[in-house]
């Protein structure tokens, strides 16, 4: 009979290792106790390894198992991969959000541009319509003027001025014409001061408007403003050196202007004498004690005292 010393459960490799047992003779089996079985060195070593493993806290079942560090490393890799994936998703979401915001801004800008363009077109249409109505009113005024209905013509020209949109390039021309036509109406109504004012407004809009210059010169002449008439005629000659009426008017009015200047001087001197007599009379004198002498070379006057 073979007696085997009980040992801890062996691994699979240990189970495969043969155990060498020395048979005992039948004669000694009853008298001599069995000696312990000598195990193979590999078994001992395996047992030591097992004992070491057990003492280290691991129960090996013959299969390779990952250590806690390796498991943790794997978890860390998975966590890093997940974080990287989340970061990529977050980055993609940010990019998509920026793209959507950019698209919304472009759409909003396009909508605003379209709205502004439509508004500008509508405004231009209104201005053009107002300009057309103003021109129609002017034409109605011309017809009334031709019929000799000057007061009514003035009203239609005034309507044309109010309807004319000031922002349009052609507005200044239409307004200057209406002011000039109103001046002509006032001239016909013998309202020369009003005619001069309307011509001045027309020339402010169009300084080279020769008809307005001519009408203002004629109104000035009616009021015996010869100096002003000559000034307007000279401006006409600057624009048109061959203007016959302007040349003729200047030649005709220059003597009248000089005569008027002398008359104005005499009137001024007469007023000065009256004022001087009122003062000198307190001292028993008068302006007769003072004589004015004209210098033939300069045309100026000097005063000499005489008793």
């Amino acid at each position: 009979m073979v007696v085997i010393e009980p040992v801890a459960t062996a691994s699979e490799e240990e189970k495969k290792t043969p155990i060498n047992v020395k048979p005992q003779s039948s004669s000694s089996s009853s008298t001599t106790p069995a000696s312990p079985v000598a195990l193979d060195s590999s078994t001992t070593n395996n047992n030591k390894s097992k004992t070491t493993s057990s003492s280290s806290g691991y129960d090996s079942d013959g299969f390779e198992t990952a250590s806690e560090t390796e498991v943790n490393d794997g978890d860390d890799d998975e966590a890093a991969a997940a974080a990287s994936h989340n970061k990529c998703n977050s980055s993609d979401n940010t990019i998509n959000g920026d793209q959507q915001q950019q698209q919304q801004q472009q759409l909003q800008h396009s909508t605003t541009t379209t709205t502004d363009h439509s508004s500008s077109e509508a405004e231009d249409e209104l201005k053009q319509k107002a300009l057309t109505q103003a021109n129609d009113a002017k034409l109605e005024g011309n017809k009334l003027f031709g019929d000799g209905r000057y007061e009514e013509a003035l009203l239609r020209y005034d309507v044309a001025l109010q309807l004319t949109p000031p922002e349009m390039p052609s507005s200044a021309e239409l307004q200057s014409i209406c002011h000039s036509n109103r001046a002509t109406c006032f001239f016909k109504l013998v309202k020369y001061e009003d005619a001069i004012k309307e011509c001045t407004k027309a020339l402010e809009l169009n300084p080279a408007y020769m008809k307005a210059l001519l009408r203002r010169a004629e109104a000035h002449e009616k009021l015996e403003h010869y100096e002003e008439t000559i000034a307007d005629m000279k401006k006409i000659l600057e624009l048109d050196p061959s203007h016959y009426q302007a040349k003729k008017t200047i030649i005709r009015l220059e003597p009248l202007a000089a005569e008027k200047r002398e008359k104005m001087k005499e009137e001024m001197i007469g007023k000065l004498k009256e004022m001087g007599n009122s003062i000198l009379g307190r001292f028993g004198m008068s302006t007769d004690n003072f004589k004015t002498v004209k210098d033939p070379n300069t045309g100026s006057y000097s005063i000499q005292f005489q008793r």
Side-chain angles (χ1 to χ4, degrees):
M1 180 177 180
V2 178
V3 179
I4 301 174
E5 185 179 352
V7 295
T9 304
S11 63
E12 292 296 326
E13 292 180 358
E14 293 173 349
K15 292 178 181 179
K16 294 178 182 180
T17 305
I19 302 174
N20 295 326
V21 180
K22 292 181 180 182
Q24 294 180 348
S25 62
S26 60
S27 59
S28 59
S29 60
S30 60
T31 59
T32 306
S35 61
V37 178
L39 299 179
D40 188 73
S41 60
S42 61
T43 305
T44 304
N45 293 336
N46 286 335
N47 288 335
K48 291 180 179 180
S49 175
K50 177 181 178 182
T51 304
T52 303
S53 300
S54 299
S55 63
S56 299
Y58 298 104
D59 291 333
S60 175
D61 57 356
F63 295 97
E64 293 183 359
T65 58
S67 65
E68 290 182 0
T69 303
E70 290 172 343
V71 172
N72 291 337
D73 290 343
D75 292 341
D76 292 341
D77 292 341
E78 292 179 0
S84 177
H85 179 69
N86 293 334
K87 184 176 181 181
C88 291
N89 291 337
S90 176
S91 177
D92 292 340
N93 292 334
T94 302
I95 294 174
N96 292 334
D98 293 341
Q99 290 177 349
Q100 292 177 357
Q101 184 177 5
Q102 185 177 5
Q103 290 176 356
Q104 290 177 355
Q105 291 177 351
Q106 291 177 351
L107 179 61
Q108 183 178 4
H109 177 71
S110 176
T111 304
T112 303
T113 303
T114 304
T115 303
D116 292 342
H117 182 68
S118 301
S119 177
S120 178
E121 287 183 350
E123 186 177 355
D124 290 341
E125 290 179 0
L126 290 175
K127 290 180 180 179
Q128 187 61 44
K129 183 178 180 180
L131 185 64
T132 301
Q133 292 175 347
N135 190 65
D136 291 341
K138 184 203 74 172
L139 294 176
E140 292 174 3
N142 292 346
K143 186 177 183 303
L144 292 170
F145 179 86
D147 295 339
R149 299 158 65 180
Y150 306 124
E151 294 285 355
E152 296 179 36
L154 281 170
L155 294 176
R156 296 313 298 167
Y157 291 136
D158 188 58
V159 170
L161 287 170
Q162 293 178 5
L163 289 174
T164 305
E167 301 86 359
M168 299 189 69
S170 57
S171 296
E173 181 181 1
L174 179 58
Q175 288 175 328
S176 64
I177 291 173
C178 289
H179 282 300
S180 180
N181 290 351
R182 280 173 59 83
T184 305
C185 290
F186 283 125
F187 191 91
K188 293 291 186 180
L189 294 170
V190 196
K191 296 181 179 180
Y192 303 122
E193 290 288 353
D194 291 332
I196 291 171
K197 292 178 182 179
E198 291 294 331
C199 286
T200 301
K201 292 179 181 179
L203 290 168
E204 288 174 354
L205 295 167
N206 184 9
Y209 196 179
M210 289 184 62
K211 287 185 178 181
L213 281 170
L214 185 60
R215 290 183 182 123
R216 189 171 71 176
E218 291 173 348
H220 277 306
E221 184 177 359
K222 291 293 185 180
L223 296 173
E224 296 185 356
H225 300 165
Y226 302 127
E227 294 287 349
E228 291 81 354
T229 303
I230 292 172
D232 282 342
M233 291 299 180
K234 286 182 178 180
K235 290 180 181 178
I236 292 174
L237 288 177
E238 291 176 1
L239 298 172
D240 182 10
S242 62
H243 199 283
Y244 177 76
Q245 183 179 353
K247 291 180 179 179
K248 184 178 178 180
T249 302
I250 291 172
I251 294 172
R252 177 172 56 83
L253 293 181
E254 280 184 342
L256 296 176
E259 181 181 348
K260 185 177 181 179
R261 283 194 299 269
E262 290 297 325
K263 184 178 180 181
M264 290 176 64
K265 288 179 182 179
E266 291 176 0
E267 290 177 355
M268 182 181 65
I269 291 172
K271 291 180 180 180
L272 288 173
K273 283 183 177 182
E274 291 178 2
M275 184 176 64
N277 287 331
S278 64
I279 297 174
L280 293 173
R282 300 174 184 178
F283 302 96
M285 294 185 297
S286 68
T287 56
D288 293 335
N289 298 117
F290 299 90
K291 183 179 180 181
T292 57
V293 180
K294 182 179 180 180
D295 188 341
N297 296 324
T298 61
S300 60
Y301 289 85
S302 61
I303 300 177
Q304 297 178 355
F305 178 74
Q306 59 183 10
R307 295 185 180 275

